[in-house]
Amino acid sequence: MYCFDSAARQSRGRSARGLLGVTLAMLVLAPQASQAGSGEPAPFDRPQQAVVSPGVDAGHAHLPEVSSLATLVEMAWARSPQARQLEGAAREAQTQAEAAGAWFPAAPTVSLGQRSGSRPGQRPLREQEVAVQAPLWPLGQRSASQRSAELAQAYAGAAVVAHRLALTRQVRERVADLALADVRVRQARAHLADLEVLEADVKQRVRAGDQAESDALLVRQDVLLAQTEVRQAQLDQMEAEHAFHVLVGEARPPSDVSSERLESMLPPINEAELSLSVDEIRQRLSQHPAMLAAQAAAEQQAVRQDLLRRGASAPWELGLQHRRDQEADVNRITPSWGISVMIPLAADPDRRQAAVAAQTAADVAQAEARRLADQLETEWLEAQQGVRHQQAMLDHMQAASAAAQTRAHWIRKAYALGEMSLTERLRAELSWQQAASRVMQQRAWLAKARARLSYAQGAQ
């Protein structure tokens, strides 16, 4: 199996050595006074223009492009096996509510019978009998069943909302991963394009006898390493697109995952929400969809345990019989009515086993609810700090990028006047490119942090 992370680390190491090679190659270049005098821009004058937009994966080029968050979440919901399970649980809860509102805990039965014959020395007889047997609700069991059905419906509804919230978070994270992969591809292609321009210039100088053949070989080595970087970045991008398609299915990610696109997929966050106390966080977490689902599940299991404890024995059954005797030779009919009650004398072993299982399920549901409360609280606090730090890092990156751009502009002017070496200009332009790329990467990391905080807050 190919290891993307290991290859990415190797490519970053080769990138560092490649940049050193570019610097060494540029050290031997003479300042291009004629080019500066003619007003033509140098290869590194505008690093953003060297960026080539990433291509679309050929295997998914025929799919429609979807950029709406709501549409992507609906597509992920349609593909989720857990969503099908939750929808089935909702239907089961509705059926349970209907059964809890019935007159009897189980279906009544009707029996029909007829006998005919005669005894020695007696007239022939013909007997007909109709009997109805109906189970009875134990005391308090019907109300407990209705309460259990209500909690089952509440759990099903809350679980659906919680799963949609989790899918929303996953979609946002997948889009942010696509943005990160897109930035890496753009950066790698821009670096390769600049090296190819440099290689062409070095080859021209080698043919003119101004530089040695070893300089061309050194630049060629860096070009090959840069091509490897581009391929590795494309593999990482394909991996991010694959994860996106596994989640949402037949859809193509947005072709331009910009910072504005990421912002549009996230709910707004103000400073007050990043400064909530622990007590305020706990109060708001009590209304989190996942917490509501866990609480409803724990309460439902407790009611179910009490329900099975009350009904450890089989239910009583009330019977009503009607019998009609008819003597064949005299055509005389004698009707009679009867009533009966069937009372079980011992507990049903299956029901006792179900009661023990319900006790275990109730204990597990309560433990899961407590653990989920701690987990959501920890995730909220960590997400708060994560957003704060990522936002601060973005501010620093933007300031550093602006400073690098200004410095590159000044050094470009000084180089044109012959007051700065080519080495300094190369370093300044490379620093500007890297700073601009880090800003775009940091925006994607901030989007992932905000997606995590939105999930912890229960916000769609």
Side-chain angles (χ1 to χ4, degrees):
M1 180 178 179
Y2 188 80
C3 181
F4 290 98
D5 294 336
S6 177
R9 289 193 293 269
Q10 294 174 6
S11 65
R12 285 194 291 269
R14 292 191 298 265
S15 175
R17 295 191 298 271
L19 293 177
L20 179 59
V22 174
T23 305
L24 293 175
M26 293 296 292
L27 284 173
V28 299
L29 294 178
Q32 302 177 11
S34 59
Q35 188 179 23
S38 60
E40 296 180 1
F44 295 96
D45 276 352
R46 291 179 296 274
Q48 289 83 353
Q49 293 184 359
V51 174
V52 182
S53 60
V56 180
D57 185 6
H60 303 98
H62 65 284
L63 299 178
E65 180 177 332
V66 180
S67 58
S68 171
L69 175 64
T71 305
L72 292 174
V73 172
E74 287 298 330
M75 296 179 70
W77 175 267
R79 288 174 55 85
S80 173
Q82 187 177 354
R84 306 289 81 73
Q85 183 180 1
L86 293 176
E87 291 173 349
R91 292 190 294 267
E92 291 178 4
Q94 180 62 32
T95 304
Q96 182 181 352
E98 295 173 357
W103 287 6
F104 307 103
T109 60
V110 177
S111 61
L112 304 175
Q114 179 173 348
R115 293 186 301 175
S116 60
S118 62
R119 295 179 179 179
Q122 295 184 358
R123 297 183 178 90
L125 293 177
R126 187 164 54 202
E127 298 177 356
Q128 297 176 346
E129 184 177 11
V130 178
V132 178
Q133 298 285 340
L136 301 178
W137 285 103
L139 185 63
Q141 191 175 21
R142 184 180 183 184
S143 60
S145 297
Q146 292 175 342
R147 177 59 179 165
S148 177
E150 292 174 359
L151 291 173
Q153 290 179 318
Y155 165 75
V160 167
V161 177
H163 187 55
R164 283 188 176 273
L165 182 62
L167 288 178
T168 303
R169 172 185 176 178
Q170 293 179 23
V171 169
R172 287 169 174 161
E173 289 181 345
R174 294 295 182 273
V175 174
D177 290 338
L178 286 173
L180 283 171
D182 179 75
V183 169
R184 294 190 184 103
V185 170
R186 290 174 181 269
Q187 182 180 7
R189 290 186 174 181
H191 181 52
L192 176 60
D194 292 337
L195 287 178
E196 288 175 344
V197 172
L198 176 61
E199 183 185 25
D201 183 73
V202 171
K203 286 182 178 180
Q204 182 178 0
R205 291 179 175 272
V206 169
R207 286 192 298 266
D210 296 335
Q211 289 185 237
E213 185 70 26
S214 59
D215 297 332
L217 293 176
L218 182 60
V219 178
R220 183 58 185 167
Q221 175 187 354
D222 293 333
V223 169
L224 294 175
L225 292 176
Q227 290 176 353
T228 303
E229 276 192 25
V230 170
R231 291 185 180 275
Q232 182 59 54
Q234 289 174 340
L235 287 176
D236 295 340
Q237 187 180 43
M238 289 174 59
E239 185 180 10
E241 289 181 354
H242 174 71
F244 178 84
H245 291 302
V246 169
L247 181 62
V248 303
E250 300 295 322
R252 183 159 49 89
S255 57
D256 181 19
V257 189
S258 59
S259 58
E260 292 77 10
R261 180 71 57 82
L262 291 176
E263 289 288 336
S264 66
M265 292 187 175
L266 293 168
I269 298 178
N270 52 38
E271 185 63 27
E273 294 180 347
L274 298 178
S275 306
L276 295 177
S277 64
V278 176
D279 293 336
E280 292 173 333
I281 290 176
R282 290 174 180 174
Q283 182 178 2
R284 293 184 59 174
L285 282 178
S286 62
Q287 301 301 318
H288 193 281
M291 197 64 219
L292 293 177
Q295 292 173 349
E299 190 173 355
Q300 180 196 7
Q301 293 297 337
V303 173
R304 183 170 177 268
Q305 174 194 356
D306 181 67
L307 184 64
L308 291 174
R309 183 181 56 82
R310 292 173 180 270
S313 302
W316 292 14
E317 290 189 8
L318 178 65
L320 180 64
Q321 300 89 22
H322 173 63
R323 179 176 175 179
R324 190 173 69 169
D325 299 334
Q326 181 179 4
E327 298 180 4
D329 54 349
V330 298
N331 198 19
R332 184 173 59 185
I333 299 175
T334 303
S336 63
W337 292 87
I339 189 172
S340 64
V341 177
M342 295 180 61
I343 302 176
L345 299 180
D348 189 354
D350 294 338
R351 290 177 177 268
R352 293 179 59 184
Q353 184 178 1
V356 173
Q359 172 68 42
T360 303
D363 295 340
V364 171
Q366 292 176 358
E368 288 181 348
R370 291 192 296 268
R371 185 182 65 175
L372 180 62
D374 296 338
Q375 179 182 350
L376 289 176
E377 180 181 341
T378 303
E379 189 167 2
W380 188 317
L381 293 174
E382 291 180 354
Q384 265 189 346
Q385 296 300 321
V387 171
R388 282 181 174 274
H389 288 297
Q390 295 291 348
Q391 183 62 54
M393 292 169 63
L394 177 60
D395 296 339
H396 295 163
M397 291 292 182
Q398 289 175 336
S401 178
Q405 182 180 4
T406 303
R407 180 172 179 271
H409 179 68
W410 289 347
I411 292 180
R412 188 184 307 122
K413 287 185 176 180
Y415 173 76
L417 297 174
E419 299 176 354
M420 191 68 67
S421 67
L422 185 59
T423 304
E424 292 297 330
R425 180 183 176 186
L426 174 62
R427 290 175 179 174
E429 300 290 351
L430 184 59
S431 176
W432 178 19
Q433 278 191 352
Q434 292 177 345
S437 298
R438 290 193 188 100
V439 169
M440 292 185 288
Q441 291 180 3
Q442 189 59 38
R443 287 186 182 276
W445 285 114
L446 177 60
K448 294 188 70 172
R450 288 183 56 185
R452 184 182 179 188
L453 179 59
S454 299
Y455 172 78
Q457 294 176 338
Q460 294 283 353

